[in-house]
Amino acid sequence: MANPALDTTVATNLRSRRPSMGLPAWLALICIVTFTVLLTAGAAIYKNAPPIPARIVSPQQETILTQADIQAGQETYLARGGQHIGSIWGHGSYLAPDWTADVLHRWGLATAGVLYDGDSDFSQADFEQLSDIDRATLSVQVQQDFKANRYDANSDTLALTSAQTQGLQQVFEDYQTLLSQGSSIHSIPSGWFTDKGQIRSVTAFFSWTAWAASANRPNAPFSYTANFPHDDLIGNQAPGQFLIWSIVSVVVLIAAIAFFLFVYITQEDAEDVQPVTTCPAIRLATPSQKVTTLFFGVAMILCLVQILMGMVTAHYAVEGEGFYGIPIQQYLPYAASRTWHLQLAVFWIATCWLAAGLYFGPRFGKHEPKFQAWGNGGLLAALTVVVVGSLLGTWAGVQGWLGDKSFWFGHQGYEYVELGRLWQLLLIGGMVFWLWLMFRALKPALKAEGNKTGLNHFFLYSAITIPLFYASGLMYSNHTPLSIAEYWRWWVVHLWVEGFFEVFATVAIAYLCSELGFLKRSTALRATYLTTILYLGSGVIGTLHHLYFAGTPVFITAMGSVASALEVVPLTLIGFEVVKSLKLSKEAQGFYRLPLKFFIATCFWNLVGAGVFGFLINPPIVLYYSQGLNTTPIHAHSALYGVYGSLAIALMLFALREITPDHAWDEKNFNFSFWWINGGLGIMMVFGLIPNGFYQLVQSINHGTWYARSAEVINSPWMHWTVWLRIPGDMVFAVGALVLVMSVGRAVIAIWQQPTQTQPLRDP
């Protein structure tokens, strides 16, 4: 590739970075192939989803439950917080029971009691007191009842055995008490449900998920959920092929890392990098860029509230009805605090990324459109309405105030897509408006670039995917069958956040670093294409690793485990380039040291949080025992903040550093916040989340998922102590975040005290 000297004109500058057509063509091919596979998998999931029978009947053909009961239960459960009060098939929160596992084990024990002596009031202690021969005989009888699939597709009827019928009646009696009176250990509020009809329908929904988790698929030796959750009494044990695909995924990962390192280390540098010998000048912000600093200020406030909600949520694990003696359960129940904790994480990170796009648009396009500042201000006001409205709506939904309107105005019930459908639609509209604002600023540079595969166009393409893939959350509703809803939900959680937002951030940072000389000019765009190919080549199909046990056909396990093993690799490419280039740009490093530090932290946590801890729960044989346990928050905290939070802060600080006067740039405090935030996260992981999650994992392997989520484990001294041991890390993290917020606030105030620049300054 040619390496002309950097020209003073924008057009020549951009054309000098034009890549060969090979990589764009490969990227297009990768997208076509991977999305074809993902959509084909979705069609197979739809076709093979567990059936919801029109009638569930006793041996005497008496109707026990109907499809309407089950669907009403699903809608009611989701409206009241859904996955933030326990989990279904392992998806959801970790303090209340996994309802599938709990109902299945209760149902199995009650059935065993009927088979043993005709009494459905039969406990685990009763079962364990039996002789070895009696236990083994009884287990076989229970498994014969539960593993046999008695669903008749022609009549759309599911027939239960006599023992199952009596056992299910016992479950309904137990849940009439549990769902109405609550449980302090599990932070289920008293009076969670008061209407007996709602309790019955919600229990019906839970019971259907338990049946789908136990009855074998037609012509298969495992259930619709691949025998998840683990329960020896029912006969739910990991299918043998889970071990095979786990081994394959490890081999693929090792081979991919070896190949990646070989290619990277052996590639020849085609040109020298000219080190930056002068510090970049402080820029005056344009009017629209000045408004983007308000986005950053709002994001930091949301970050502080999110941290506070995290502390409240974590504390519920040791004090189920309050916060250090304050009875807040009535006003801020666990489901609400956890919802806000997750919602606010997405909101503040996305706000930083959106604001960075609005800042870099004029920066890269060298053009400040007319009324751009007013557009940015209007977008900030609209997003504020959506954030406040969705937070209040989800709280009201959890409290049960919105009834059947909760789906639209309150709580959708699914993790990370909690906000009501109205707020979701408004947020998508805001993203489309954001895209238009960016396009206006980039338009001159797009015309000057000429090449449709250059960095300006790539930046625009990556921005288009953000509203596009968030809109995939509109593909399901509160009555969509669970398997289909989970499929589309993970398009949002995995593809939107972990895929295309990450691509957008990488393009933005690579573009900026190439302009500043941190990345080799001839390889900046090539590196961006390569990392995007790695992101999407593994990540799109890797979405399926979230769906092993969501009522999907078992080939999903094979594809998801192998593809997602490759997701450990991508971010390191740009990270290596930054680390190498820092050695050649000492003076510029001082100017941009803090933004680059947070970007390197992104690379670190990508390896540790998204890589090591993500891969910890990726192999099917491991996830079979760890799904729905506190091993998942190990990955979630280190990846959501460590990778995406650090990326958001890096983008924010890149923008602020360029327009903040030197006297207001608090290098010392920014550096303090960097070490305290990352150090606090590490302490939280080592002393709290890791020992907590692995203790539960051992219980799950030895006794079953139901036991790992039972009151005996959740309320055990070990679990309580590991929650208390999180506090030092939480406090260190919070102090670092508070210092970051104060330093950002000082920078924003100073920027607003500066005059504005009518048009962006061109690089010399």
Side-chain angles (χ1 to χ4, degrees), residues 370-636:
K370 191 175 182 180
F371 301 123
Q372 184 81 350
W374 286 98
N376 288 1
L379 178 61
L380 179 60
L383 291 177
T384 301
V385 171
V386 170
V387 169
V388 174
S390 65
L391 291 175
L392 292 177
T394 51
W395 175 79
V398 168
Q399 297 285 54
W401 292 358
L402 299 180
D404 59 1
K405 303 296 189 298
S406 184
F407 175 76
W408 277 96
F409 304 103
H411 207 304
Q412 288 194 39
Y414 289 102
E415 276 188 305
Y416 297 103
V417 198
E418 296 91 350
L419 70 174
R421 181 56 55 89
L422 172 65
W423 309 113
Q424 189 181 19
L425 288 168
L426 291 175
L427 184 55
I428 293 171
M431 291 179 186
V432 172
F433 183 55
W434 165 80
L435 180 62
W436 179 73
L437 291 172
M438 282 188 52
F439 174 74
R440 295 177 74 225
L442 280 172
K443 193 173 181 180
L446 294 170
K447 290 182 177 178
E449 189 170 47
N451 180 13
K452 301 298 184 184
T453 58
L455 268 173
N456 277 314
H457 281 82
F458 202 163
F459 187 64
L460 178 64
Y461 301 150
S462 65
I464 291 172
T465 63
I466 291 175
L468 179 64
F469 281 89
Y470 186 76
S472 60
L474 302 177
M475 298 299 291
Y476 61 88
S477 69
N478 57 342
H479 55 265
T480 300
L482 204 56
S483 299
I484 309 304
E486 286 291 348
Y487 170 76
W488 288 111
R489 180 173 76 93
W490 285 107
W491 273 58
V492 178
V493 181
H494 186 89
L495 285 180
W496 182 62
V497 177
E498 298 184 37
F500 289 100
F501 244 133
E502 198 164 282
V503 169
F504 170 76
T506 300
V507 175
I509 290 181
Y511 194 159
L512 183 61
C513 288
S514 69
E515 287 197 341
L516 298 174
F518 294 165
L519 287 179
K520 305 168 187 178
R521 290 190 298 271
S522 64
T523 59
L525 185 52
R526 183 186 62 176
T528 303
Y529 270 102
L530 286 173
T531 51
T532 303
I533 287 171
L534 285 170
Y535 284 144
L536 302 184
S538 59
V540 173
I541 300 176
T543 305
L544 299 176
H545 87 266
H546 299 284
L547 302 172
Y548 294 161
F549 316 118
T552 59
V554 77
F555 77 86
I556 296 296
T557 300
M559 292 196 303
S561 60
V562 174
S564 60
L566 301 175
E567 292 184 70
V568 178
V569 176
L571 257 180
T572 50
L573 179 58
I574 291 291
F576 284 159
E577 289 292 331
V578 170
V579 173
K580 288 171 59 178
S581 300
L582 284 176
K583 299 176 182 178
L584 302 174
S585 308
K586 294 297 184 183
E587 293 190 32
Q589 176 193 349
F591 189 80
Y592 289 102
R593 177 167 56 236
L594 264 302
L596 288 170
K597 266 190 173 183
F598 276 98
F599 183 57
I600 293 172
T602 299
C603 299
F604 170 80
W605 287 112
N606 184 70
L607 176 62
V608 175
V612 175
F613 294 130
F615 191 75
L616 167 68
I617 57 174
N618 179 78
I621 194 64
V622 178
L623 191 58
Y624 178 80
Y625 295 105
S626 63
Q627 174 99 326
L629 307 183
N630 281 303
T631 48
T632 302
I634 299 172
H635 164 61

Side-chain angles (χ1 to χ4, degrees), residues 21 78 85 92 194 308 404 455 472 511 526 617 659 702:
M21 291 302 295
L78 293 175
I85 289 283
T194 56
L308 176 61
D404 59 1
L455 268 173
S472 60
Y511 194 159
R526 183 186 62 176
I617 57 174
I659 57 178
N702 290 336

